[in-house]
Amino acid sequence: GAVVSQHPSWVICKSGTSVKIECRSLDFQATTMFWYRQFPKQSLMLMATSNEGSKATYEQGVEKDKFLINHASLTLSTLTVTSAHPEDSSFYICSARVNRGYTFGSGTRLTVV
Amino acid sequence: AQSVAQPEDQVNVAEGNPLTVKCTYSVSGNPYLFWYVQYPNRGLQFLLKYITGDNLVKGSYGFEAEFNKSQTSFHLKKPSALVSDSALYFCAVRDDNQGGKLIFGQGTELSVKP
């Protein structure tokens, strides 16, 4: 149980375009979703915390206008990378709180060319 | 602020030998500690957690971890390593002062050779 489905697994986009990443909780209601960014062989950097029905809380240094997070329902949270640039290329992972732990999406490899 | 540290970037072990991946923590209050494993281009898989209770926590895939309050450590262990255990391992602590987000260590790459 407690599965988060993240799509797409990988995406290649052109500079200047926007990309949307979706995370769906399949068998539970995710009131809180965390969005992370990870560079190769490095740790996860928390970008923002989203709560259903309210504005996301962004970590210091994360551009909220560039990384738009929407958590409109208890089963869906989205991260949109707007006007993507090559430096936005990274691995993005979502995570939801469940009971006394957390479950993670499978991640999205974004490559901006 | 809550934090965890993984002092080793890489750990190399021969198959069949015991393995240890180290983690130390710094928290105010009771620590909620986790271990996760990540395979290339994948999300994180839960291994085990310490909330309260027994200091020796048993988890998935034969892994276990020992919570040591005096040494503020939560090392991950396995009696006999498999080649398939080769992956990136993360220790994490829950920060209840900041919305319950997880704070991750730097990660340790485990390499198990045949």
Side-chain angles (χ1 to χ4, degrees), chain B residues 13-26:
Chain B
V13 178
E15 187 177 29
N17 283 0
L19 69 87
T20 298
V21 183
K22 296 180 180 178
C23 173
T24 58
Y25 65 89
S26 175

Side-chain angles (χ1 to χ4, degrees), chain A residues 9-105:
Chain A
S9 299
W10 58 270
V11 57
I12 301 173
C13 71
K14 293 184 177 180
S15 288
T17 62
S18 295
V19 173
K20 180 184 284 188
I21 300 170
E22 293 188 349
C23 280
R24 294 181 181 272
S25 54
L26 299 184
D27 48 4
F28 69 102
Q29 293 183 330
T31 55
T32 301
M33 193 75 78
F34 302 96
W35 286 93
Y36 294 89
R37 180 175 182 176
Q38 185 183 29
F39 292 102
K41 295 195 175 182
Q42 292 190 25
S43 191
L44 281 73
M45 181 191 79
L46 181 66
M47 299 174 66
T49 303
S50 72
N51 293 295
E52 185 269 335
S54 62
K55 289 184 178 180
T57 302
Y58 289 81
E59 296 296 303
Q60 193 171 8
V62 177
E63 299 177 62
K64 60 180 67 176
D65 293 331
K66 180 167 192 59
F67 298 100
L68 300 179
I69 290 173
N70 185 283
H71 196 158
S73 78
L74 288 170
T75 59
L76 177 63
S77 179
T78 61
L79 166 66
T80 301
V81 183
T82 62
S83 187
H85 291 284
E87 57 264 31
D88 299 325
S89 298
S90 193
F91 194 59
Y92 295 87
I93 308 174
C94 61
S95 173
R97 289 189 65 172
V98 290
N99 299 323
R100 301 173 94 177
Y102 304 80
T103 186
F104 288 81

Side-chain angles (χ1 to χ4, degrees), chain B residues 5-78:
Chain B
Q6 295 177 243
E8 302 157 316
D9 290 335
Q10 182 155 11
V11 170
N12 298 309
V13 178
E15 187 177 29
N17 283 0
L19 69 87
T20 298
V21 183
K22 296 180 180 178
C23 173
T24 58
Y25 65 89
S26 175
V27 302
S28 54
N30 296 321
Y32 289 178
L33 297 161
F34 301 80
W35 274 104
Y36 289 90
V37 60
Q38 185 182 33
Y39 294 95
N41 290 311
R42 302 297 300 274
L44 273 64
Q45 295 180 30
F46 171 77
L47 287 178
L48 51 81
K49 66 182 177 185
Y50 174 82
I51 303 293
T52 186
D54 290 340
N55 290 340
L56 184 62
V57 180
K58 293 191 180 294
S60 306
Y61 314 118
F63 285 93
E64 59 186 31
E66 185 168 10
F67 173 70
N68 188 316
K69 190 172 183 178
S70 63
Q71 297 185 5
T72 62
S73 67
F74 189 56
H75 301 332
L76 181 70
K77 299 182 179 184
K78 187 173 182 180

